[in-house]
Amino acid sequence: MMAKLSDLSDRFEEVGALLSDPETMADRDRFTALSREFSELEPVIASFKSFRTMTGELAEANELAEDEDPEMRELAREDSARLTDALEEEELRLKALLLPKDPNDASDVFLEIRAGTGGDEAAIFAGDLFRMYGKFAESKGWRAEILSERAGEHGGFKEIITRIEGKDVYSQLKFESGAHRVQRVPETESQGRIHTSACTVAVLPEVADIDDVTVNKADLRIDTYRASGAGGQHVNKTDSAVRITHLPSGIVVECQDERSQHKNRARAMSLLQAKLLDSARSAQESEQAESRRIQVGSGDRSERIRT
């Protein structure tokens, strides 16, 4: 491990020097790639430097523990015990930092929440989940924007799709995919009975490079329509909302959040690419429909990752 960390330290210094090179700064793609590599290496190297500093301090403390002065020996032994514990923690941290990372961890995501079994209460629960993830995104300094939504009759959402943008969003949300279940006395219940409802959550990484997914324009049906709900006269009186259907797969995406039809079209295309990429990856294990069912479940009460 030390040999690998030493190599990474050399690479960190090399990347830092390259980032200050005018030729590198003139090449935007290379500069972006090196900046990303630098930011990934930085916490590893900081931890490695701390580990080496504590190793040196521990060696000094062990030498002083043999001193003739009884008071000095006692202080040195206390330092030795403290540094030994700190070194063990730092070593565990280093090992965790060296673990292989998911290449999508730094990606922005599309968060889909759909009401499952439970009727109006499931839609209310979907609204609760949406607010929970929204508050979490806010606490992380991320930016969230709603792409499309279908409101429930008594509050909440039958379906809501949100794009969340920020630092390492996918790494912290990817394990949320699945069915979520709630057991409570709902707002719509008049006799105080406990109901069980479920929602499905899907977290899809946004495609960073559109070359990762090839979309034939002939395979697309693009419809425009007027956005629904609040949004002002311009939104509701122009055909700014966009619906794109990918005919071979049957995937349908919508976006009506932006006032501009062009912006809605771009957002919808990005969401479609993310879904197609997710479908291609899932196809390695099973057919698309089955992999989708595995990820989000059926929305039934019996299926959940969290109650």
Side-chain angles (χ1 to χ4, degrees):
M1 185 177 78
M2 291 299 111
K4 181 176 182 180
L5 284 166
S6 181
D7 291 341
L8 288 176
S9 183
D10 292 340
R11 176 58 181 169
F12 181 72
E13 297 297 331
E14 181 185 358
V15 172
L18 286 171
L19 286 172
S20 60
D21 188 332
E23 291 186 8
T24 303
M25 297 172 70
D27 187 339
R28 192 175 70 173
D29 291 340
R30 190 176 182 221
F31 184 81
T32 301
L34 288 171
S35 297
R36 187 181 298 113
E37 184 181 357
F38 187 87
S39 65
E40 290 174 354
L41 287 173
E42 194 169 21
V44 180
I45 302 307
S47 179
F48 182 41
K49 288 180 178 178
S50 177
F51 181 85
R52 287 193 299 186
T53 299
M54 285 190 288
T55 301
E57 291 175 353
L58 179 59
E60 291 179 7
N62 288 335
E63 286 182 11
L64 290 174
E66 304 300 326
D67 196 272
E68 295 179 358
D69 186 345
E71 187 175 346
M72 183 64 73
R73 284 203 307 270
E74 183 62 27
L75 288 172
R77 286 168 184 168
E78 289 178 3
D79 283 346
S80 179
R82 175 182 59 81
L83 288 166
T84 299
D85 292 340
L87 269 173
E88 288 179 0
E89 292 181 7
E90 197 65 41
E91 185 176 2
L92 289 174
R93 184 167 182 267
L94 269 172
K95 288 178 178 178
L97 288 170
L98 289 173
L99 289 173
K101 292 186 177 181
D102 187 326
N104 293 314
D105 276 352
S107 300
D108 300 329
V109 305
F110 294 104
L111 175 68
E112 303 179 1
I113 304 174
R114 291 184 174 84
T117 304
D120 292 333
E121 165 64 358
I124 293 172
F125 181 40
D128 293 340
L129 288 175
F130 169 70
R131 283 188 293 275
M132 177 188 74
Y133 289 122
K135 290 291 184 183
F136 181 72
E138 185 180 336
S139 72
K140 292 289 185 180
W142 299 339
R143 179 172 175 267
E145 56 180 325
I146 298 174
L147 299 185
S148 67
E149 61 182 283
R150 287 194 296 123
E153 294 180 6
H154 295 277
F157 303 97
K158 294 180 180 177
E159 174 187 281
I160 183 164
I161 301 176
T162 310
R163 179 180 179 271
I164 302 179
E165 174 186 354
K167 180 177 173 60
D168 298 330
V169 180
Y170 186 68
S171 68
Q172 298 189 55
L173 291 181
K174 60 184 177 182
F175 298 114
E176 295 298 309
S177 290
H180 297 240
R181 189 178 76 169
V182 65
Q183 292 176 299
R184 64 185 178 187
V185 178
E187 299 174 11
T188 54
E189 172 58 47
S190 59
Q191 299 181 19
R193 293 174 297 187
I194 294 177
H195 287 231
T196 302
S197 303
C199 290
T200 61
V201 173
V203 180
L204 307 174
E206 186 175 19
V207 181
D209 186 353
I210 60 174
D211 293 335
D212 291 344
V213 178
T214 302
V215 180
N216 188 342
K217 292 184 178 181
D219 293 335
L220 303 178
R221 186 176 72 235
I222 301 176
D223 303 309
T224 57
Y225 59 98
R226 293 185 183 181
S228 59
Q233 294 180 351
H234 177 86
V235 171
N236 295 322
K237 290 189 176 181
T238 61
D239 292 338
S240 59
V242 174
R243 180 188 297 113
I244 300 178
T245 304
H246 186 247
L247 299 176
S249 66
I251 294 176
V252 180
V253 296
E254 299 177 349
C255 185
Q256 60 178 2
D257 187 57
E258 300 284 353
R259 293 180 60 177
S260 164
Q261 184 184 118
H262 295 292
K263 289 183 179 179
N264 281 328
R265 185 189 295 256
R267 289 284 186 231
M269 277 299 297
S270 183
L271 176 56
L272 176 63
Q273 288 169 334
K275 287 195 171 191
L276 289 172
L277 184 60
D278 178 65
S279 173
R281 288 170 178 157
S282 298
Q284 294 177 357
E285 300 176 0
S286 61
E287 293 183 357
Q288 177 186 347
E290 178 64 11
S291 65
R292 191 68 176 172
R293 186 190 68 79
I294 291 172
Q295 186 189 54
V296 303
S298 62
D300 187 73
R301 295 183 181 94
S302 62
E303 291 191 57
R304 79 277 187 191
I305 62 167
R306 193 170 291 121
T307 297

Short mmCIF file of all heavy atoms in Angstrom, two decimals, residues 56-84:
data_model
loop_
_atom_site.label_atom_id
_atom_site.label_comp_id
_atom_site.label_asym_id
_atom_site.label_seq_id
_atom_site.Cartn_x
_atom_site.Cartn_y
_atom_site.Cartn_z
N GLY A 56 6.29 9.46 12.03
CA GLY A 56 7.52 10.05 12.55
C GLY A 56 7.38 10.45 14.01
O GLY A 56 8.30 10.24 14.82
N GLU A 57 6.22 11.03 14.36
CA GLU A 57 6.00 11.43 15.75
C GLU A 57 5.96 10.22 16.68
O GLU A 57 6.45 10.27 17.82
CB GLU A 57 4.68 12.22 15.86
CG GLU A 57 4.74 13.58 15.19
CD GLU A 57 3.40 14.29 15.20
OE1 GLU A 57 2.40 13.65 15.62
OE2 GLU A 57 3.34 15.47 14.81
N LEU A 58 5.40 9.11 16.19
CA LEU A 58 5.33 7.89 17.01
C LEU A 58 6.74 7.34 17.25
O LEU A 58 7.06 6.89 18.37
CB LEU A 58 4.47 6.84 16.31
CG LEU A 58 4.33 5.50 17.04
CD1 LEU A 58 3.73 5.67 18.43
CD2 LEU A 58 3.49 4.52 16.20
N ALA A 59 7.58 7.38 16.22
CA ALA A 59 8.96 6.90 16.38
C ALA A 59 9.70 7.73 17.43
O ALA A 59 10.44 7.19 18.28
CB ALA A 59 9.69 6.96 15.04
N GLU A 60 9.50 9.05 17.42
CA GLU A 60 10.13 9.93 18.40
C GLU A 60 9.62 9.63 19.81
O GLU A 60 10.38 9.61 20.79
CB GLU A 60 9.88 11.39 18.05
CG GLU A 60 10.59 11.85 16.79
CD GLU A 60 10.28 13.30 16.46
OE1 GLU A 60 9.62 13.97 17.30
OE2 GLU A 60 10.69 13.77 15.39
N ALA A 61 8.28 9.42 19.92
CA ALA A 61 7.68 9.13 21.21
C ALA A 61 8.21 7.82 21.78
O ALA A 61 8.47 7.71 22.99
CB ALA A 61 6.15 9.09 21.08
N ASN A 62 8.41 6.84 20.91
CA ASN A 62 8.93 5.55 21.38
C ASN A 62 10.38 5.67 21.88
O ASN A 62 10.78 4.99 22.83
CB ASN A 62 8.86 4.51 20.26
CG ASN A 62 7.42 4.07 19.98
OD1 ASN A 62 6.56 4.16 20.87
ND2 ASN A 62 7.16 3.60 18.78
N GLU A 63 11.16 6.55 21.23
CA GLU A 63 12.53 6.78 21.69
C GLU A 63 12.54 7.46 23.06
O GLU A 63 13.31 7.11 23.96
CB GLU A 63 13.28 7.65 20.68
CG GLU A 63 13.67 6.91 19.40
CD GLU A 63 14.44 7.80 18.45
OE1 GLU A 63 14.86 8.92 18.88
OE2 GLU A 63 14.63 7.41 17.29
N LEU A 64 11.67 8.47 23.23
CA LEU A 64 11.60 9.20 24.50
C LEU A 64 11.05 8.33 25.63
O LEU A 64 11.28 8.62 26.81
CB LEU A 64 10.73 10.45 24.34
CG LEU A 64 11.32 11.58 23.49
CD1 LEU A 64 10.30 12.67 23.29
CD2 LEU A 64 12.58 12.14 24.15
N ALA A 65 10.32 7.27 25.26
CA ALA A 65 9.77 6.37 26.28
C ALA A 65 10.87 5.62 27.02
O ALA A 65 10.62 5.02 28.07
CB ALA A 65 8.79 5.39 25.64
N GLU A 66 12.10 5.65 26.45
CA GLU A 66 13.25 5.01 27.10
C GLU A 66 14.12 6.01 27.85
O GLU A 66 15.21 5.67 28.30
CB GLU A 66 14.08 4.28 26.03
CG GLU A 66 13.33 3.26 25.19
CD GLU A 66 12.73 2.14 26.02
OE1 GLU A 66 13.37 1.76 27.04
OE2 GLU A 66 11.64 1.65 25.66
N ASP A 67 13.65 7.25 27.97
CA ASP A 67 14.43 8.30 28.62
C ASP A 67 14.61 8.00 30.12
O ASP A 67 13.78 7.34 30.75
CB ASP A 67 13.72 9.64 28.44
CG ASP A 67 14.63 10.82 28.74
OD1 ASP A 67 14.68 11.22 29.92
OD2 ASP A 67 15.27 11.31 27.81
N GLU A 68 15.70 8.54 30.67
CA GLU A 68 15.98 8.31 32.09
C GLU A 68 15.03 9.09 33.00
O GLU A 68 14.78 8.68 34.14
CB GLU A 68 17.44 8.71 32.41
CG GLU A 68 18.47 7.85 31.69
CD GLU A 68 19.89 8.29 32.01
OE1 GLU A 68 20.04 9.28 32.77
OE2 GLU A 68 20.84 7.65 31.51
N ASP A 69 14.51 10.20 32.50
CA ASP A 69 13.59 11.03 33.30
C ASP A 69 12.23 10.34 33.39
O ASP A 69 11.57 10.14 32.37
CB ASP A 69 13.45 12.41 32.65
CG ASP A 69 12.63 13.36 33.51
OD1 ASP A 69 11.94 12.89 34.44
OD2 ASP A 69 12.68 14.58 33.24
N PRO A 70 11.75 9.97 34.60
CA PRO A 70 10.47 9.27 34.75
C PRO A 70 9.29 10.07 34.21
O PRO A 70 8.37 9.52 33.58
CB PRO A 70 10.34 9.07 36.27
CG PRO A 70 11.73 9.16 36.78
CD PRO A 70 12.45 10.12 35.88
N GLU A 71 9.31 11.38 34.43
CA GLU A 71 8.20 12.23 33.95
C GLU A 71 8.17 12.26 32.42
O GLU A 71 7.10 12.20 31.80
CB GLU A 71 8.37 13.63 34.51
CG GLU A 71 7.18 14.55 34.19
CD GLU A 71 7.30 15.90 34.85
OE1 GLU A 71 8.15 16.06 35.77
OE2 GLU A 71 6.54 16.82 34.45
N MET A 72 9.34 12.36 31.81
CA MET A 72 9.43 12.36 30.35
C MET A 72 8.97 11.02 29.78
O MET A 72 8.28 10.97 28.74
CB MET A 72 10.87 12.65 29.92
CG MET A 72 11.06 12.74 28.41
SD MET A 72 10.16 14.13 27.69
CE MET A 72 11.18 15.50 28.27
N ARG A 73 9.35 9.92 30.45
CA ARG A 73 8.92 8.59 29.99
C ARG A 73 7.40 8.47 30.01
O ARG A 73 6.80 7.93 29.08
CB ARG A 73 9.54 7.49 30.88
CG ARG A 73 11.00 7.21 30.60
CD ARG A 73 11.39 5.81 31.08
NE ARG A 73 11.03 5.59 32.48
CZ ARG A 73 11.83 5.85 33.51
NH1 ARG A 73 13.04 6.37 33.29
NH2 ARG A 73 11.45 5.60 34.75
N GLU A 74 6.76 8.99 31.07
CA GLU A 74 5.30 8.89 31.19
C GLU A 74 4.60 9.68 30.09
O GLU A 74 3.66 9.20 29.47
CB GLU A 74 4.88 9.41 32.57
CG GLU A 74 3.38 9.28 32.86
CD GLU A 74 2.90 7.85 32.85
OE1 GLU A 74 3.72 6.93 33.14
OE2 GLU A 74 1.72 7.62 32.53
N LEU A 75 5.10 10.89 29.84
CA LEU A 75 4.51 11.71 28.77
C LEU A 75 4.68 11.05 27.40
O LEU A 75 3.77 11.06 26.56
CB LEU A 75 5.17 13.09 28.75
CG LEU A 75 4.80 14.03 29.92
CD1 LEU A 75 5.67 15.29 29.87
CD2 LEU A 75 3.33 14.41 29.87
N ALA A 76 5.86 10.47 27.19
CA ALA A 76 6.14 9.82 25.91
C ALA A 76 5.23 8.60 25.71
O ALA A 76 4.76 8.35 24.59
CB ALA A 76 7.60 9.41 25.84
N ARG A 77 5.00 7.85 26.75
CA ARG A 77 4.12 6.68 26.64
C ARG A 77 2.68 7.08 26.35
O ARG A 77 1.97 6.40 25.60
CB ARG A 77 4.22 5.84 27.91
CG ARG A 77 5.52 5.05 28.03
CD ARG A 77 5.74 4.47 29.40
NE ARG A 77 7.05 3.80 29.50
CZ ARG A 77 7.59 3.39 30.63
NH1 ARG A 77 6.96 3.61 31.79
NH2 ARG A 77 8.78 2.79 30.62
N GLU A 78 2.24 8.18 26.94
CA GLU A 78 0.89 8.68 26.66
C GLU A 78 0.77 9.09 25.20
O GLU A 78 -0.22 8.78 24.52
CB GLU A 78 0.57 9.85 27.58
CG GLU A 78 0.36 9.47 29.04
CD GLU A 78 0.09 10.68 29.91
OE1 GLU A 78 0.00 11.81 29.36
OE2 GLU A 78 -0.04 10.51 31.14
N ASP A 79 1.80 9.82 24.72
CA ASP A 79 1.81 10.22 23.30
C ASP A 79 1.84 9.00 22.39
O ASP A 79 1.19 8.96 21.34
CB ASP A 79 3.02 11.11 23.01
CG ASP A 79 2.83 12.52 23.50
OD1 ASP A 79 1.68 12.88 23.83
OD2 ASP A 79 3.83 13.27 23.58
N SER A 80 2.62 8.00 22.78
CA SER A 80 2.74 6.79 21.97
C SER A 80 1.40 6.07 21.83
O SER A 80 1.02 5.64 20.73
CB SER A 80 3.78 5.86 22.59
OG SER A 80 3.89 4.67 21.84
N ALA A 81 0.67 5.96 22.94
CA ALA A 81 -0.63 5.29 22.91
C ALA A 81 -1.62 6.08 22.05
O ALA A 81 -2.38 5.50 21.25
CB ALA A 81 -1.17 5.14 24.33
N ARG A 82 -1.60 7.43 22.20
CA ARG A 82 -2.51 8.27 21.41
C ARG A 82 -2.21 8.17 19.92
O ARG A 82 -3.12 8.03 19.09
CB ARG A 82 -2.39 9.72 21.89
CG ARG A 82 -3.20 10.72 21.07
CD ARG A 82 -2.99 12.14 21.58
NE ARG A 82 -1.59 12.53 21.52
CZ ARG A 82 -0.99 12.96 20.42
NH1 ARG A 82 -1.66 13.02 19.26
NH2 ARG A 82 0.28 13.33 20.45
N LEU A 83 -0.92 8.24 19.57
CA LEU A 83 -0.53 8.20 18.17
C LEU A 83 -0.78 6.83 17.54
O LEU A 83 -1.11 6.74 16.35
CB LEU A 83 0.95 8.57 18.04
CG LEU A 83 1.28 10.04 18.27
CD1 LEU A 83 2.78 10.24 18.45
CD2 LEU A 83 0.77 10.89 17.10
N THR A 84 -0.64 5.78 18.32
CA THR A 84 -0.91 4.43 17.80
C THR A 84 -2.37 4.30 17.39
O THR A 84 -2.69 3.79 16.30
CB THR A 84 -0.57 3.36 18.86
OG1 THR A 84 0.82 3.45 19.18
CG2 THR A 84 -0.88 1.97 18.34
#
